[in-house]
Amino acid sequence: MPEIKLNGSRKPWTKTKKKPRTFTSTGKPNYEQFIPFYKRDAENDSRYSSKRWRSLRMTVLGNDPTCPICMTLGRVNSAHHVDHVRLHDTDGIDFYDDRNLWGLCQSCHATKSAMEANGIGTPHALNFGEAKAWWVEAVCDVKRRRM
């Protein structure tokens, strides 16, 4: 039987230690440590509080009031979040381009954002319509695995 080399006192078959939880000065957990994009966009980007964005957001939610990902899964959920299909400010994509925006429910938006935080994104060759279809399929696949 082959011998397993040990790295110091750590045995290779044991789990790695989890990152210790940190707390803010008020005693609440430090959510920024665990949740990707936690309070990133709303606080640091003034475009989300502009009148132009609020108007565009209402237009997008008025045109598509239901979440397309949930509709594909056979559910009906109202869209509360307006999300950029492809990352804005990259490849010449404008922040306010309405072709790049769609309405998602909170659950689908969180799943898509977590996937983006882990480096999963649409291929650059896709246009906005194809990118939406790509995301619908990708998020549906993740949600089906959880069921």
Side-chain angles (χ1 to χ4, degrees), residues 1-6:
M1 178 179 241
E3 186 176 318
I4 298 174
K5 291 183 180 180
L6 299 178

Side-chain angles (χ1 to χ4, degrees), residues 11-28:
K11 297 170 182 70
W13 55 85
T14 59
K15 292 183 179 180
T16 59
K17 289 186 179 182
K18 288 186 178 180
K19 196 177 191 183
R21 193 173 276 220
T22 61
F23 296 89
T24 61
S25 60
T26 60
K28 293 184 179 180

Side-chain angles (χ1 to χ4, degrees), residues 49-102:
S49 59
S50 69
K51 186 175 181 178
R52 183 177 177 190
W53 172 256
R54 289 193 307 266
S55 172
L56 185 60
R57 183 180 183 278
M58 287 294 122
T59 303
V60 170
L61 292 177
N63 291 340
D64 298 317
T66 57
C67 177
I69 297 171
C70 288
M71 294 291 283
T72 304
L73 292 171
R75 303 182 209 146
V76 178
N77 281 333
S78 59
H80 292 291
H81 295 268
V82 174
D83 183 56
H84 290 89
V85 178
R86 295 180 60 201
L87 293 176
H88 55 82
D89 301 334
T90 57
D91 299 330
I93 298 173
D94 183 32
F95 182 85
Y96 298 105
D97 188 354
D98 61 344
R99 298 173 301 162
N100 190 34
L101 298 173
W102 61 342

Side-chain angles (χ1 to χ4, degrees), residues 23-57:
F23 296 89
T24 61
S25 60
T26 60
K28 293 184 179 180
N30 182 9
Y31 294 111
E32 291 184 33
Q33 180 183 9
F34 298 101
I35 302 172
F37 303 123
Y38 182 75
K39 289 189 176 181
R40 291 288 195 299
D41 294 333
E43 284 184 5
N44 298 335
D45 199 340
S46 62
R47 293 178 288 190
Y48 285 105
S49 59
S50 69
K51 186 175 181 178
R52 183 177 177 190
W53 172 256
R54 289 193 307 266
S55 172
L56 185 60
R57 183 180 183 278

